[in-house]
Amino acid sequence: MSETTILLDHGSGGLASQQLIGELFLKYLDSPILRGLEDSAVIDNQPGKLAFTTDSYVVDPIFFPGGDIGKLAVHGTINDLAMRGARPLCLSLGLILEEGLPLADLERIIISISEAANDCGVPIVTGDTKVVPRGKADKIFINTSGIGIVPENVCLSSKQAATGDAVILSGTMGDHGITIMTRRAGISLQGDLQSDTMALHRLVAGLLDQFPGRIHVLRDPTRGGVATSLNEIAASSGRSIVLDEGLLPVRPEVRAACEILGLEALYLANEGKCLAVVDQGSAADIIAALHRMPEGRDAAIIGTVVDGTAGRVLINTPIGGSRVVTPLHGEPLPRIC
Amino acid sequence: MTNSSIRRNAPQNGVEIRVRGIVQGVGFRPFVFQLASRFAICGTVTNTSDGVVIRAWAPAAALLSFQAALVDQAPPLARITDIDHRPLSSPAESDSFTILPSRDTGTVLAIIPPDIALCDDCLAELRNPADHRYRYPFINCTNCGPRFSIIETLPYDRSRTSMKQFPMCPVCAEEYKDPANRRYHAQPNACPVCGPQLSWHDRNGSTLTVDDIIAAAIGAINSGAILAIRGLGGFHLCVDACSEAPVAQLRERKRRPAKPLAVMVADVAAARRLCNLSDEQARVLSGPQHPIVLLTVRPQTKLATNLAPQLSDIGIMLPYTPLHHLLFTHPDCPAALVMTSGNVGGEPICTDNKEAFRRLAGIADFFLLHNRDIVTRVDDSVVKVVAGHPRLMRRSRGYVPAPILVPYELPAIIGCGGGLKSTFSLARGKTIFPSQHIGDLFNLPSYDFYRESVINLKRLFAIEPVAACCDLHPDYLSSHFAKELGLPLYRAQHHHAHAVAVMAEHGLSGPVLAVVLDGTGYGTDGTIWGGELLQVDLTSFHRLGCLEPLPLPGGDAAAAEPWRMAMACLFRCFGEKACDAPYLVDIDPARRRVVLQMLESGFNTPLTSSCGRLFDAIAALLGLQSVSSFEGEAAMRLEACARQAVTNRWQDELLEHQEDCRLDLHYRENEQRWEIISSKFVKRMMDDLDTSGNGPVAALQFHSWLITRISHLVEKLAGRTGITTVVLSGGCLQNELLLDGLLFSLGQRGLSTYSGVQIPHNDGGISVGQAVIGGLQHVSSSTDES
Ligand SMILES: [Fe+3]
Ligand SMILES: [Mg+2]
Ligand SMILES: [Zn+2]
Ligand SMILES: [Zn+2]
């Protein structure tokens, strides 16, 4: 292609569009179904229950330490499938491009999507591209939808958190959120801050395989962080969750960043972590198993499900106090009077 | 009706006297009974839903004396708001005086008396070896002792208090039944034969058997031990206040590095040896409530220097239970004892023995306990005497549950309060009952205490709210709680509620000008307010002015770390050069740079007009406090520093500088409000400081600057609006220089100024404002619908 930036023509459906598809999308995202360029992907009938999810990605900046918007779009949707115990089958890819987006950036994102999809073993099977005039979008927006298959015997849901269950977090908190927020604001901090974007379907498959019936809930604590996801679990299960602040895994760089910025890691977004509510008796074995997986190296038991006021999340602090952890409504607001 | 209608010469005149106010449950009827015996009056007295009604027959002169004494000698806890007389033509119904059972008990607006310090009569008996209650730690009478803290339900009667497990012995029962006795209907009446007892335990909770528990406790204190003492409304942690080591140990175990610790001394004379004491302060200290009074410590006292490091004020109280008196009567008792609430930082005080063993394990070496259950937790109240009034900073023991009476009708409503220093208020009709101090609701035990207290007080006051009012702040737990009630919900802006609380206390209906100098509160525009000049009436307000909004880098982190606010001021004054200025040198340059980046980008940096944060900034710029260990510490240091520079010329100076005032004011055309530009002052202060280097003078200049600018602006707005009544509120007014200065300076400008006396300036007061705002809004919205 001779142009260096995206033009409105690239979304016209005409020659420029075809060029984009041929020279960029098919080059990197080749899969037998996508190559057909049919109006829809047709997937063979699979045994089990069908899981279907969609998510849109509008992250700013589009490139960040540890990943980019493309990788996020693949991992995020795969993780949404995985949280219900689904084996991801395939993804769709919808792109909304802002006129003027450097083609080099687009190529970099498509390569990243391709690598992520290949690594995960989940092909992109259908797609769409639109170009909007300058200012009508911010560089690039991505939507991915995903289909997965849930084995007949698997049923994961927030409702299933039971009294006595252990709450496990598969790794450190806040890495993605703090990285994106500081990059966006142009704040440079000491230490290596990186997004944790990562697909968790293999971790989930491993757990479900080794611990049938012991995993009651899986959630990926993305926007609103661990605090908000736990509040949702507590609310839908009608239980309380008690965390132990001393057990929360947070990388020292993230902890230091939160301290100086006045943020709480509990509320920061994660893109490669899951919360697992599991049978107490199996918790130690599950942690051991997680530690053997690359995605679960830093997994830790962070709390317990208890009877008590429905929907309440508490955190015990190292000095012997107990605080109420509310879900996030919007921006954190000062409370000290 | 007047007493002139009494026929002076007739041997027997009759009169019906109706007394309204706080006259029930305060020993008023026995008082009337005793007065009647003294003046040889026959007749009756009874409680009705409309106050106490007395029907009295006697010769005219006796009746006159009787009526005068009713008002002049009323029991210490009574507050008579209204008294009227009506002559009775009927002859006397009997030749004696009788206390009749209450009438219309169903509708009597329940008034529960607060817990009251040991009275002089009981104290004399406690010390009299011949008395049958000699050295009995639970001696009490109608005029003193536990009330609110032991009541389970109403009507107030022994069987509905935690005294129910102690059946009265015949001697006590006799006193209880005898209207002439000081213990007539004293529900907690007890003696060594039938009443509660002390016990003495080691740190594990095992009972230790000793001959004299008081002696054992004093011995332990003198050996440097920390005692947990079960008191009236909760537990105290107690150490020798004249010895540094135990105080340091207590601070370490309680994780309370710097916050001042309250101290108890034997009597007013002992307090005077330690502190400068005015007559008013002495009166409050020894009044029926016996609150903690904030006093200025004299130099060179016996007190340990780590009780209130670098602050000039210390909280002093006098013994208020018989147990306290027994401790101080012991010949070896130290001159002063630390009596700080028995809790783990920020949580409500323990009440239960088992709970205390669990929660205070690791803090207390010994436990001095008793077996009378505490039904309702009540902390010690805290009072500061400013501008001639004892002002409550924390309203609890001795004051709660006395109501605030207002001159308008409210529906049954709950005001849910704020975030930290929370209270709630239940209101109905012309009466508002503020709850006791509860604390930071984000602490689970405090939040549970809050929820439990709402249930208890609703039952005790027989108020079932039909509406609720909470703060605009979406993340206060009190706002969550309000929403969960499922009642029609009204939301009052934080500083509007602060102002209306003052109006409620003083019976003002508005409109008034309100100066609210506060920490932070959520504004109607989504920014954080806290230095506000509002035009206020009971249901609405306008924002006429505020302090210059400054960035708050890190939100609440900026409240804990005043140096961040100093950076915000420097950034406003010097832009990106803020980091290079030779200030805040004790802060790591890397941290300063990050905060500068936050200021430049606005990252997690909301704007705030907070006055509290401005105090923090100045304190940090003057090198007084860069990181706080408790809320308000920096501001307290700044006040203590400024006081060093106060001369008797200070007040006069507040009336000068009229010209300068204009320079620091800015009118925002688009928002139609005035701003007081604090960065202008900061810039001048930094320049002055470079040449003079005099911290106390700069600290005082800041106070003067703030007082004169606010007064000037209020005067201007008073002229414009025609409103000459001003209310002052907000947590910053706990600063005596500021409150005193504003009252003086506004007063000199011909404005009538009101501020909280009964209701705290801090967030402990906003539930009262909420009850009024929400209540009156509810009334008008209900009328609109019909
Ligand atoms: Fe406030
Ligand atoms: Mg998602
Ligand atoms: Zn007494
Ligand atoms: Zn007795």
Side-chain angles (χ1 to χ4, degrees):
Chain A
M1 281 183 290
S2 47
E3 305 82 5
T4 59
T5 61
I6 288 291
L7 307 174
L8 285 172
D9 276 354
H10 284 123
S12 66
L15 200 60
S17 299
Q18 281 168 25
Q19 238 178 5
L20 200 62
I21 292 166
E23 293 175 27
L24 200 57
F25 300 154
L26 285 181
K27 179 172 165 196
Y28 294 111
L29 303 175
D30 196 17
S31 78
I33 304 180
L34 185 65
R35 202 182 313 141
L37 296 177
E38 298 284 357
D39 282 338
S40 60
V42 174
I43 298 142
D44 286 344
N45 197 16
Q46 307 271 338
K49 298 174 280 191
L50 205 57
F52 179 36
T53 188
T54 190
D55 214 334
S56 297
Y57 300 84
V58 296
V59 66
D60 168 34
I62 56 177
F63 301 106
F64 46 82
D68 57 66
I69 190 171
K71 231 181 210 171
L72 211 56
V74 173
H75 294 156
T77 296
I78 287 177
N79 288 348
D80 281 347
L81 291 171
M83 292 308 116
R84 298 302 306 277
R87 175 173 58 83
L89 270 189
C90 58
L91 300 176
S92 72
L93 177 68
L95 300 175
I96 291 172
L97 308 177
E98 185 190 14
E99 179 190 6
L101 174 74
L103 266 170
D105 285 358
L106 181 60
E107 183 169 21
R108 204 175 142 192
I109 290 165
I110 298 299
I111 292 173
S112 177
I113 290 173
S114 144
E115 285 172 0
N118 284 337
D119 285 350
C120 295
V122 183
I124 309 284
V125 295
T126 186
D128 173 58
T129 304
K130 294 286 185 299
V131 178
V132 296
R134 257 174 229 280
K136 298 285 180 192
D138 186 12
K139 298 187 269 295
I140 176 169
F141 295 160
I142 302 181
N143 172 275
T144 51
S145 296
I147 289 175
I149 299 299
V150 187
E152 284 299 349
N153 60 337
V154 170
C155 177
L156 299 173
S157 149
S158 291
K159 290 192 193 70
Q160 304 201 40
T163 302
D165 281 359
V167 179
I168 289 174
L169 181 59
S170 70
T172 55
M173 279 194 309
D175 300 77
H176 178 77
I178 200 86
T179 307
I180 297 297
M181 289 167 93
T182 52
R183 281 280 150 165
R184 191 185 309 151
I187 289 179
S188 53
L189 293 165
Q190 287 171 325
D192 176 31
L193 295 178
Q194 283 217 8
S195 167
D196 58 354
T197 178
M198 188 169 26
L200 298 170
H201 59 304
R202 293 194 176 98
L203 174 147
V204 171
L207 286 185
L208 293 176
D209 197 43
Q210 292 174 59
F211 302 97
R214 306 290 167 173
I215 316 291
H216 301 158
V217 183
L218 291 176
R219 291 298 293 265
D220 61 339
T222 53
R223 271 184 305 177
V226 169
T228 305
S229 293
L230 289 178
N231 267 283
E232 285 162 11
I233 296 172
S236 34
S237 62
R239 301 273 189 315
S240 278
I241 294 177
V242 181
L243 303 177
D244 189 329
E245 192 172 320
L247 300 178
L248 292 173
V250 185
R251 289 171 60 226
E253 297 91 318
V254 175
R255 193 181 295 279
C258 283
E259 191 278 319
I260 186 74
L261 298 172
L263 299 172
E264 276 195 80
L266 268 177
Y267 291 96
L268 295 177
N270 307 278
E271 288 295 346
K273 298 296 152 44
C274 73
L275 282 164
V277 179
V278 307
D279 182 66
Q280 185 66 254
S282 314
D285 294 339
I286 291 171
I287 285 289
L290 282 167
H291 286 170
R292 288 192 294 270
M293 306 180 195
E295 303 95 329
R297 254 188 349 238
D298 302 318
I301 297 177
I302 60 169
T304 319
V305 178
V306 297
D307 277 331
T309 310
R312 190 188 260 184
V313 179
L314 301 171
I315 187 162
N316 290 330
T317 59
I319 62 163
S322 186
R323 274 189 313 121
V324 181
V325 178
T326 51
L328 190 65
H329 287 294
E331 291 292 297
L333 295 166
R335 297 186 286 112
I336 294 178
C337 189
Chain B
M1 316 289 152
T2 65
N3 43 26
S4 61
S5 58
I6 297 170
R7 282 171 294 130
R8 285 175 185 274
N9 296 324
Q12 287 276 299
N13 282 358
V15 62
E16 183 180 278
I17 307 163
R18 187 174 297 266
V19 189
R20 296 189 186 88
I22 301 173
V23 288
Q24 289 160 344
V26 290
F28 202 81
R29 286 175 306 153
F31 156 72
V32 173
F33 180 88
Q34 282 155 37
L35 271 191
S37 331
R38 176 139 55 96
F39 293 105
I41 283 163
C42 51
T44 59
V45 57
T46 184
N47 271 341
T48 75
S49 55
D50 194 24
V52 167
V53 175
I54 304 161
R55 290 161 70 83
W57 285 268
L63 272 185
L64 278 178
S65 313
F66 172 71
Q67 290 178 51
L70 271 181
V71 177
D72 298 343
Q73 296 167 34
L77 308 180
R79 217 166 80 209
I80 298 175
T81 53
D82 192 14
I83 182 162
D84 61 43
H85 317 246
R86 184 168 70 88
L88 293 171
S89 46
S90 56
E93 287 146 2
S94 89
D95 54 5
S96 65
F97 196 87
T98 330
I99 300 182
L100 296 178
S102 301
R103 281 209 311 255
D104 335 302
T105 38
T107 55
V108 169
L109 184 58
I111 304 245
I112 298 155
D115 302 291
I116 289 305
L118 192 71
C119 73
D120 290 344
D121 293 335
C122 285
L123 180 59
E125 289 168 353
L126 182 73
R127 289 175 170 166
N128 175 6
D131 195 277
H132 124 96
R133 292 189 180 85
Y134 176 55
R135 284 174 59 80
Y136 178 57
F138 303 91
I139 183 170
N140 68 82
C141 72
T142 329
N143 301 321
C144 73
R147 297 287 188 277
F148 178 55
S149 62
I150 58 163
I151 297 177
E152 289 162 357
T153 54
L154 286 179
Y156 175 43
D157 185 13
R158 191 181 183 97
S159 63
R160 296 177 192 87
T161 71
S162 61
M163 285 300 293
K164 66 177 177 228
Q165 50 175 318
F166 303 102
M168 275 185 267
C169 69
V171 177
C172 289
E174 221 22 72
E175 294 169 328
Y176 181 88
K177 277 183 277 183
D178 174 7
N181 194 287
R182 207 171 84 246
R183 297 196 165 89
Y184 172 72
H185 278 207
Q187 306 301 347
N189 188 24
C191 78
V193 175
C194 63
Q197 301 294 338
L198 293 179
S199 60
W200 178 239
H201 308 259
D202 68 11
R203 70 176 72 214
N204 305 315
S206 311
T207 309
L208 302 172
T209 314
V210 290
D211 288 345
D212 182 345
I213 289 179
I214 300 297
I218 294 294
I221 292 169
N222 284 328
S223 73
I226 299 175
L227 265 59
I229 302 179
R230 191 185 206 192
L232 201 55
F235 278 74
H236 279 137
L237 288 167
C238 171
V239 295
D240 180 354
C242 302
S243 176
E244 244 105 273
V247 173
Q249 176 102 87
L250 176 62
R251 285 197 176 283
E252 194 191 312
R253 293 197 198 160
K254 218 187 156 190
R255 294 172 207 270
R256 183 161 158 166
K259 199 170 178 183
L261 297 167
V263 166
M264 186 177 276
V265 296
D267 47 31
V268 168
R272 190 162 272 136
R273 280 193 289 276
L274 302 175
C275 300
N276 299 320
L277 202 61
S278 69
D279 291 349
E280 178 66 3
Q281 285 166 333
R283 198 187 60 73
V284 179
L285 208 50
S286 53
Q289 296 88 0
H290 273 46
I292 295 173
V293 182
L294 296 183
L295 298 171
T296 308
V297 190
R298 288 174 189 264
Q300 309 292 321
T301 65
K302 284 195 217 162
L303 288 178
T305 54
N306 49 351
L307 287 174
Q310 305 191 41
L311 299 172
S312 45
D313 280 350
I314 195 163
I316 302 272
M317 64 182 141
L318 301 184
Y320 59 84
T321 68
L323 176 58
H324 297 149
H325 281 282
L326 291 175
L327 289 171
F328 277 97
T329 310
H330 193 281
D332 297 334
C333 184
L337 295 174
V338 169
M339 286 282 185
T340 182
S341 61
N343 61 5
V344 187
E347 291 184 359
I349 43 179
C350 303
T351 52
D352 182 61
N353 287 351
K354 273 203 203 105
E355 183 196 359
F357 287 139
R358 185 176 58 76
R359 278 172 55 193
L360 302 179
I363 300 181
D365 299 309
F366 294 96
F367 290 81
L368 175 48
L369 306 182
H370 62 70
N371 56 348
R372 184 182 67 207
D373 285 346
I374 297 167
V375 177
T376 300
R377 297 158 207 240
V378 231
D379 291 74
D380 293 320
S381 295
V382 180
V383 169
K384 187 167 178 177
V385 178
V386 183
H389 290 288
R391 295 170 194 273
L392 279 158
M393 324 238 314
R394 183 165 80 199
R395 189 174 185 275
S396 265
R397 178 181 51 78
Y399 299 90
V400 176
I404 305 290
L405 304 172
V406 289
Y408 35 80
E409 289 280 332
L410 296 171
I413 186 165
I414 177 168
C416 294
L420 308 175
K421 297 192 173 144
S422 303
T423 62
F424 61 88
S425 286
L426 289 166
R428 190 182 62 194
K430 292 179 174 165
T431 315
I432 304 173
F433 294 97
S435 78
Q436 72 273 45
H437 162 82
I438 289 172
D440 175 5
L441 297 188
F442 274 87
N443 274 308
L444 179 69
S446 308
Y447 190 39
D448 284 344
F449 172 32
Y450 173 90
R451 300 172 72 107
E452 182 189 298
S453 301
V454 170
I455 295 169
N456 281 345
L457 296 196
K458 274 190 342 191
R459 188 187 59 227
L460 284 180
F461 302 136
I463 294 179
E464 191 55 51
V466 297
C469 184
C470 67
D471 200 88
L472 280 181
H473 200 305
D475 296 330
Y476 282 168
L477 280 174
S478 54
S479 306
H480 285 258
F481 174 79
K483 232 199 271 174
E484 286 165 17
L485 289 173
L487 298 171
L489 181 60
Y490 300 85
R491 287 177 184 273
Q493 198 280 327
H494 190 90
H495 305 103
H496 183 209
H498 268 300
V500 172
V502 178
M503 295 171 71
E505 179 179 350
H506 295 284
L508 306 171
S509 294
V512 301
L513 295 174
V515 176
V516 188
L517 303 178
D518 205 25
T520 55
Y522 195 66
T524 50
D525 58 358
T527 71
I528 310 303
W529 297 5
E532 307 305 312
L533 213 163
L534 312 172
Q535 179 180 327
V536 171
D537 61 41
L538 293 175
T539 53
S540 65
F541 74 97
H542 288 294
R543 194 186 196 199
L544 301 178
C546 63
L547 296 179
E548 172 190 10
L550 290 171
L552 187 65
D556 276 340
E561 299 184 0
W563 70 271
R564 292 171 183 263
M565 286 314 297
M567 281 291 294
C569 277
L570 291 173
F571 180 70
R572 210 21 92 70
C573 297
F574 309 110
E576 61 188 13
K577 294 202 194 80
C579 256
D580 309 329
Y583 306 107
L584 312 174
V585 285
D586 56 328
I587 305 296
D588 176 6
R591 289 171 68 76
R592 280 189 274 158
R593 267 195 304 278
V594 175
V595 166
L596 182 63
Q597 289 177 36
M598 294 173 77
L599 290 163
E600 284 170 332
S601 63
F603 180 81
N604 196 26
T605 298
L607 284 178
T608 183
S609 52
S610 166
C611 182
R613 296 300 88 81
L614 182 60
F615 269 82
D616 289 349
I618 305 292
L621 286 170
L622 294 180
L624 297 170
Q625 186 99 43
S626 49
V627 175
S628 292
S629 75
F630 63 90
E631 197 205 336
E633 186 179 14
M636 286 163 86
R637 288 261 172 100
L638 186 64
E639 182 187 1
C641 177
R643 275 209 228 168
Q644 298 170 30
V646 174
T647 63
N648 39 21
R649 281 253 324 127
W650 185 55
Q651 288 202 330
D652 300 334
E653 284 164 22
L654 292 180
L655 303 176
E656 297 160 9
H657 312 297
Q658 288 296 337
E659 274 313 299
D660 302 352
C661 286
R662 247 159 257 161
L663 300 175
D664 292 345
L665 292 182
H666 172 75
Y667 187 69
R668 262 184 201 282
E669 205 66 60
N670 51 344
E671 281 139 88
Q672 307 218 328
R673 66 156 196 260
W674 289 90
E675 279 178 11
I676 297 174
I677 307 300
S678 26
S679 52
K680 285 195 183 171
F681 170 79
V682 173
K683 213 163 183 171
R684 285 199 299 274
M685 183 185 83
M686 300 320 282
D687 288 345
D688 289 355
L689 214 53
D690 285 346
T691 48
S692 78
N694 191 329
V697 166
L700 185 63
Q701 271 169 358
F702 169 67
H703 283 79
S704 314
W705 170 84
L706 190 60
I707 292 163
T708 51
R709 271 47 179 189
I710 289 171
S711 309
H712 181 82
L713 183 53
V714 171
E715 186 179 26
K716 192 193 238 338
L717 292 167
R720 206 159 290 186
T721 56
I723 301 170
T724 55
T725 306
V726 182
V727 303
L728 301 176
S729 189
C732 295
L733 294 178
Q734 296 177 132
N735 178 320
E736 190 178 339
L737 281 178
L738 193 58
L739 179 55
D740 235 348
L742 279 170
L743 288 171
F744 171 77
S745 164
L746 291 167
Q748 289 291 311
R749 288 169 159 87
L751 301 163
S752 358
T753 312
Y754 297 85
S755 58
V757 175
Q758 278 293 311
I759 300 177
H761 287 119
N762 58 46
D763 282 10
I766 64 173
S767 66
V768 172
Q770 290 168 346
V772 173
I773 297 167
L776 295 179
Q777 284 181 356
H778 185 67
V779 169
S780 60
S781 73
S782 319
T783 343
D784 289 352
E785 275 161 33
S786 58

